[in-house]
């Protein structure tokens, strides 16, 4: 497990939806010890909050996908009115996303929301920010304080502190923006500290991944509040994924970051799936469900592996909850090696697949039967794990690679002799078949 930077800890939620802790490792204000909570995954609904039934459905869907916290936008009074009806129907802590109108924050607090997200930079009146702080303090609600690039860029005033910081960061690529972010953050936090309010989570997002890394690194050196990581406006899933993972993984491996949101111009369900997968990949959360390994395929492939992998992924995601490792490999070259490290594995030959469970060969089936048999073995294995009859990650026997010609129907001699029909992988259709 990667070590984490110690922070203060905040808690959101209630007895009904459960409590989510963010950060930790520094003593609580009463002096009691805290330990860092697992990094949590947040997302935000894409629909209108005032559409109560649709919003509830979307929150259910995101929570079922594994979101630990869900944020909703409350731009209008009808949205905070709707919150009163939404919150009692959902089973996950809800954050109200407030911009410009401090009244929305007060109404959201009244409606029973579990946390407020506020960029003090877009609420003009300091007294209004103080009103929100007092309302949250009265109910023990944390506040996320944002100094996101987009919300402060127009506020480059000539304050003395910013000039000082400008000199400190002058040699850095993002020196000017870092100076603004830190100066503004200090200014905002003073408002909270003056109210004796410390249940704060900080965010400093940008669409520039390298600025995100620099900003959060600098903030983590200067402040001990937990950090909400994210790359804002990251773009479509296809490229936004790379942009987000590039920034977030660099921070997380250095122990920085306590809750994350990956943001895509797409269904937020992908934000949850990819956020969880990032944390699983870094060992920052215990995996739920299947850890699927698959080969990229190459000129040796002799089954339609792309389709098989997608089918296996889809079906196992719905049916398997224990974190078993499943390997789907295209041929005998790397198949046995990966199969040895997996709980359930298949490696393919000439239109066939040999299936293993913890190193023991259980079947050799023709291609059309691979999917069903692999799923059956995964579900049987899951049942045994749940009944305590099998242990995850236990290798019972070493795999002896099968005789390729006799058992897999292929093999180098047969391939060399032109006796195996080549699978034709057509990138446009990803289909494999006899040509
Ligand atoms: S397992 Fe076989 S088919 Fe898959 S990439 Fe490796 S050599 Fe190619």
């Amino acid at each position: 497990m990667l070590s984490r930077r110690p922070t203060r800890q905040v808690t959101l939620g209630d007895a009904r939806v459960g409590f989510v802790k963010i950060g930790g490792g520094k003593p609580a204000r009463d002096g009691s010890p805290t330990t860092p909570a697992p990094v949590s995954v947040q997302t935000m609904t894409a629909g209108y909050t005032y559409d109560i039934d649709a919003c509830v459905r979307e929150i259910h869907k995101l929570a079922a996908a594994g979101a630990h916290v869900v944020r909703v936008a409350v731009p209008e009074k009808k949205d905070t009115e709707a919150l009163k009806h939404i919150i009692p129907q959902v089973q996950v802590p809800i954050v109200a996303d407030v911009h410009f109108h401090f009244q929305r924050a007060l109404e959201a607090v009244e409606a029973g929301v579990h946390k407020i997200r506020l960029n003090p930079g877009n609420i003009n009146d300091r007294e209004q920010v103080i009103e929100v702080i007092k309302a949250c303090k009265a109910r023990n609600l944390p506040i996320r304080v944002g100094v996101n690039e987009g919300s402060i860029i127009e506020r480059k005033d000539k304050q003395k502190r910013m000039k000082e910081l400008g000199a400190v960061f002058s040699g850095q690529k993002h020196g000017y923006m870092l100076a603004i972010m830190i100066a503004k953050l200090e200014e905002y936090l003073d408002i909270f500290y003056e109210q004796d309010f410390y249940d704060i989570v900080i965010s400093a997002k940008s669409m520039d991944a390298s600025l995100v890394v620099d900003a959060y690194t600098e903030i983590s050196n200067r402040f001990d509040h937990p950090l909400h990581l994210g790359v804002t406006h990251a773009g479509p899933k296809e490229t936004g994924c790379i942009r987000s993972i590039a920034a977030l993984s660099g921070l997380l491996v250095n122990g920085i970051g306590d809750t994350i949101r990956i943001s895509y111009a797409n269904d937020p369900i992908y934000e949850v799936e990819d956020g969880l997968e990032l944390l699983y990949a870094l060992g920052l959360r215990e995996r739920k469900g299947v850890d699927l390994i698959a080969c990229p395929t190459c000129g040796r492939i002799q089954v339609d592996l792309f389709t098989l992998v997608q089918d296996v992924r889809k079906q196992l995601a719905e049916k398997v909850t224990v974190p078993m490792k499943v390997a789907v490999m295209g041929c005998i070259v790397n198949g046995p090696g990966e199969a040895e490290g997996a709980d359930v594995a298949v490696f393919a030959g000439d239109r066939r697949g040999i299936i293993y469970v913890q190193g023991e060969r259980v079947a050799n089936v023709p291609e059309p039967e691979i999917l069903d048999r692999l799923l059956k073995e995964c579900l049987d294995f899951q049942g045994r794990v749940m009944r305590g009859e099998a242990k995850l990650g236990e290798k019972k026997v070493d795999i002896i690679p099968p005789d390729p010609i006799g058992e897999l129907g292929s093999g180098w001699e047969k391939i060399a002799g032109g006796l195996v029909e080549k699978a034709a992988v057509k990138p446009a259709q990803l289909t494999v078949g006899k040509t």
Side-chain angles (χ1 to χ4, degrees):
M1 189 69 91
L2 295 168
S3 66
R4 304 265 309 284
R5 178 191 70 113
T7 70
R8 296 168 188 258
Q9 188 170 70
V10 306
T11 303
L12 62 152
D14 58 38
R16 193 183 62 77
V17 300
F19 292 97
V20 173
K21 291 184 184 301
I22 301 178
K26 289 216 158 178
R29 292 200 81 201
D30 64 4
S32 57
T34 68
T35 51
V39 180
S40 51
V41 171
Q42 307 200 16
T43 187
M44 192 167 175
T45 53
Y48 294 116
T49 306
Y50 63 74
D51 187 349
I52 295 171
D53 290 345
C55 188
V56 167
R57 275 197 302 278
E58 192 175 9
I59 293 170
H60 283 327
K61 189 179 81 166
L62 297 169
H68 305 110
V69 176
V70 176
R71 183 157 44 112
V72 299
V74 288
E76 298 182 47
K77 193 164 180 2
K78 60 184 176 183
D79 297 304
T80 47
E81 281 294 320
L83 271 185
K84 292 180 198 160
H85 306 284
I86 292 167
I87 291 169
Q89 297 186 60
V90 300
Q91 278 79 39
V92 65
I94 299 296
V95 182
D97 191 68
V98 177
H99 288 283
F100 309 119
H101 304 290
F102 81 108
Q103 299 95 329
R104 298 292 94 77
L106 300 178
E107 291 156 10
V109 168
E110 281 302 314
V113 79
H114 302 104
K115 182 179 162 202
I116 296 288
R117 177 267 174 106
L118 202 69
N119 283 0
N122 64 30
I123 294 181
N124 279 329
D125 186 340
R126 182 187 171 100
E127 291 308 311
Q128 295 175 344
V129 176
I130 291 174
E131 262 198 74
V132 176
I133 294 171
K134 285 181 173 168
C136 288
K137 191 172 178 188
R139 287 177 165 79
N140 285 324
L141 301 183
I143 299 178
R144 166 151 72 97
V145 179
V147 284
N148 297 358
E149 184 182 8
S151 69
I152 58 169
I153 196 158
E154 296 306 326
R155 297 177 167 269
K156 41 194 171 187
D157 48 24
K158 296 184 177 62
Q159 59 172 286
K160 183 168 165 277
R161 181 62 177 149
M162 215 198 90
K163 283 188 178 165
E164 287 168 12
L165 288 163
V168 171
F169 299 127
S170 62
Q172 295 192 28
K173 179 182 171 198
H174 300 293
Y176 181 71
M177 184 49 68
L178 285 176
I180 299 177
M181 283 177 155
I182 301 294
K184 281 293 168 190
L185 192 52
E186 288 176 346
E187 183 187 317
Y188 298 158
L189 290 178
D190 277 349
I191 307 174
F192 289 76
Y193 296 161
E194 280 167 16
Q195 299 303 314
D196 195 30
F197 188 96
Y198 295 90
D199 278 346
I200 296 164
V201 178
I202 295 173
S203 66
K205 299 185 185 181
S206 163
M207 50 71 65
D208 181 323
S210 65
L211 172 56
V212 168
V213 172
D214 287 355
Y216 279 102
T217 302
E218 196 56 47
I219 288 169
S220 75
N221 288 333
R222 289 170 181 265
F223 305 96
D224 63 359
H225 298 290
L227 302 180
H228 169 120
L229 303 187
V231 174
T232 195
H233 314 139
K237 174 174 161 51
E238 293 75 13
T239 51
C241 176
I242 305 297
R243 195 188 287 265
S244 294
I245 301 305
L248 269 52
S249 58
L251 290 162
L252 290 166
V253 295
N254 285 310
I256 298 169
D258 305 283
T259 184
I260 63 171
R261 182 204 175 184
I262 290 181
S263 54
Y264 294 144
N266 208 318
D267 187 330
I269 201 100
Y270 297 121
E271 301 180 358
V272 180
E273 289 177 358
D274 291 0
L276 287 169
E277 192 57 43
L278 173 61
L279 299 182
Y280 295 153
L282 293 175
L284 285 167
R285 280 200 92 93
E286 197 172 319
R287 183 178 287 279
K288 285 190 180 142
V290 166
D291 185 3
L292 182 60
I293 299 160
C295 84
T297 81
C298 71
R300 297 180 187 91
I301 191 76
Q302 289 156 21
V303 295
D304 179 359
L305 199 87
F306 289 171
T307 304
L308 178 62
V309 168
Q310 287 310 324
D311 289 346
V312 168
R313 179 176 182 271
K314 212 180 302 165
Q315 300 227 23
L316 293 185
E318 290 164 9
K319 294 172 183 156
V320 171
T321 52
V322 305
M324 67 171 73
K325 199 176 263 190
V326 176
V328 181
M329 304 298 293
C331 81
I332 197 171
V333 172
N334 291 317
E338 290 293 357
E340 279 205 17
D343 293 302
V344 182
V346 59
F347 55 86
D350 185 12
R351 311 304 197 277
R352 300 196 72 78
I354 297 190
I355 296 172
Y356 292 82
V357 178
Q358 297 205 312
E360 275 187 313
R361 188 171 56 186
V362 295
N364 177 348
V365 293
E367 184 174 5
E369 296 172 25
I370 294 176
L371 177 63
D372 285 349
R373 186 61 192 259
L374 190 69
L375 294 177
K376 177 189 175 307
E377 295 302 336
C378 288
L379 294 178
D380 287 354
F381 179 69
Q382 171 169 257
R384 292 206 299 283
V385 170
M386 286 173 156
R387 292 192 297 276
E389 297 164 12
K391 259 173 73 181
L392 292 167
E394 200 175 57
K395 187 175 69 168
K396 285 194 183 149
V397 289
D398 290 339
I399 290 178
I400 300 166
D403 162 27
I405 296 178
E407 296 179 68
L408 278 168
S410 61
W412 305 125
E413 289 175 33
K414 199 170 168 188
I415 292 169
L419 300 172
V420 174
E421 286 183 87
K422 287 283 181 191
V425 181
K426 295 175 183 162
Q429 300 167 294
L430 299 181
T431 56
V432 178
K434 295 183 181 183
T435 53

